[in-house]
Amino acid sequence: MVTVKKKSEAQLFLEELERIDALVECKLIERLQWKELALNITANMGGEVVQSSGSQSKMAEAVNHAIDMENEVLLAVNKLIAKKKEVTQLIEQVDNATWYKILHERYVQHIELSDIADNFGKSYDWVKSTHGRAIQCVQRMRSGL
């Protein structure tokens, strides 16, 4: 049986940045899809004599969705900027340079621990252990201890 270690509040806080980053990326893709759909409907209408408002209403609907997605992207980007600022301000308080670098690479740059180990020229176990100590430091800072 595999034991799953429960993540600390600090780790969940830091991981939220990656989730918001993924949200922004997905919203950008959705926005692009709606814009392309609106453009395709417009292109298909070009040169045709439109006898009903069906194509025009489909185009208007696609354009409205594209505009809505634009607003959603802006909201998500603002949330990402705020979260990134919050995370970086927190980890910048870590006074151990190695811990800071591991935290920054993992949570701001979204680099996997195995790749961080390669960057440091260290073993995965070393990075995992050092990361754990850095997380404990962040947990203590968040708890005000």
Side-chain angles (χ1 to χ4, degrees):
M1 183 171 139
V2 175
T3 323
V4 177
K5 185 179 174 186
K6 185 178 175 188
K7 293 181 179 183
S8 70
E9 180 187 316
Q11 195 168 0
L12 294 171
F13 170 80
L14 295 171
E15 287 177 349
E16 182 71 7
L17 181 58
E18 189 169 8
R19 189 194 71 74
I20 296 170
D21 205 3
L23 175 78
V24 168
E25 187 177 324
C26 290
K27 295 284 183 194
L28 288 169
I29 291 168
E30 288 179 59
R31 180 186 69 177
L32 181 62
Q33 290 171 336
W34 281 112
K35 282 183 177 181
E36 288 176 356
L37 180 62
L39 290 172
N40 284 338
I41 292 171
T42 305
N44 289 338
M45 288 175 51
E48 290 182 19
V49 175
V50 180
Q51 300 209 353
S52 74
S53 62
S55 295
Q56 289 175 337
S57 67
K58 286 180 186 177
M59 181 186 65
E61 183 178 337
V63 168
N64 286 335
H65 282 299
I67 291 168
D68 289 344
M69 284 309 305
E70 189 72 37
N71 292 331
E72 287 183 35
V73 166
L74 290 173
L75 289 173
V77 166
N78 287 337
K79 187 175 181 179
L80 176 63
I81 290 167
K83 186 65 173 190
K84 187 171 278 197
K85 182 178 180 181
E86 189 178 14
V87 166
T88 55
Q89 285 177 339
L90 178 64
I91 66 173
E92 284 172 355
Q93 295 175 42
V94 173
D95 60 0
N96 180 307
T98 301
W99 293 358
Y100 167 78
K101 188 164 172 54
I102 288 172
L103 291 171
H104 194 277
E105 286 185 3
R106 177 65 197 103
Y107 297 105
V108 178
Q109 299 174 41
H110 312 307
I111 299 173
E112 295 297 325
L113 291 180
S114 57
D115 294 325
I116 294 171
D118 291 342
N119 294 347
F120 273 87
K122 302 281 189 176
S123 70
Y124 174 80
D125 288 337
W126 179 87
V127 170
K128 186 175 174 186
S129 172
T130 306
H131 171 263
R133 288 192 300 278
I135 288 293
Q136 288 173 352
C137 176
V138 171
Q139 184 67 39
R140 284 190 303 273
M141 288 187 311
R142 283 187 49 84
S143 300
L145 301 175

